[in-house]
Amino acid sequence: VIKAFLALAAFEEKVVKPHELIDCEGKKTTRVNGWIVNTTKANGVIPFEDVIKDSNNIGVAKIAHRVGTKLY
């Protein structure tokens, strides 16, 4: 549910487009802005809509950083 709210905030703030390619780094664990982020599937570069569909935490963390702490 939280990822859906992130997607809505990201679209509202125009920081991402549905088909924009997001680098999920092809790993299950990485650092995003100093935070360790884990995900279940090691996706590579995928469209944002697939980041949400696949629930990729690395891609979500990168977009959440764009949205910023004001909204997310």
Side-chain angles (χ1 to χ4, degrees):
V1 173
I2 297 299
K3 291 174 184 156
F5 288 118
L6 167 71
L8 291 171
F11 293 144
E12 179 70 22
E13 294 299 305
K14 296 177 176 50
V15 297
V16 72
K17 294 180 180 172
H19 303 297
E20 181 179 340
L21 296 177
I22 308 300
D23 184 6
C24 298
E25 302 185 16
K27 344 176 175 176
K28 290 186 178 181
T29 301
T30 193
R31 285 191 176 270
V32 177
N33 302 322
W35 293 89
I36 295 175
V37 180
N38 298 304
T39 196
T40 57
K41 184 178 177 187
N43 294 109
V45 177
I46 58 175
F48 179 64
E49 60 195 0
D50 288 349
V51 168
I52 298 301
K53 182 184 76 164
D54 294 347
S55 194
N56 187 288
N57 293 332
I58 294 169
V60 167
K62 289 181 175 190
I63 299 306
H65 179 69
R66 291 186 195 179
V67 171
T69 57
K70 176 181 167 192
L71 293 176
Y72 194 70

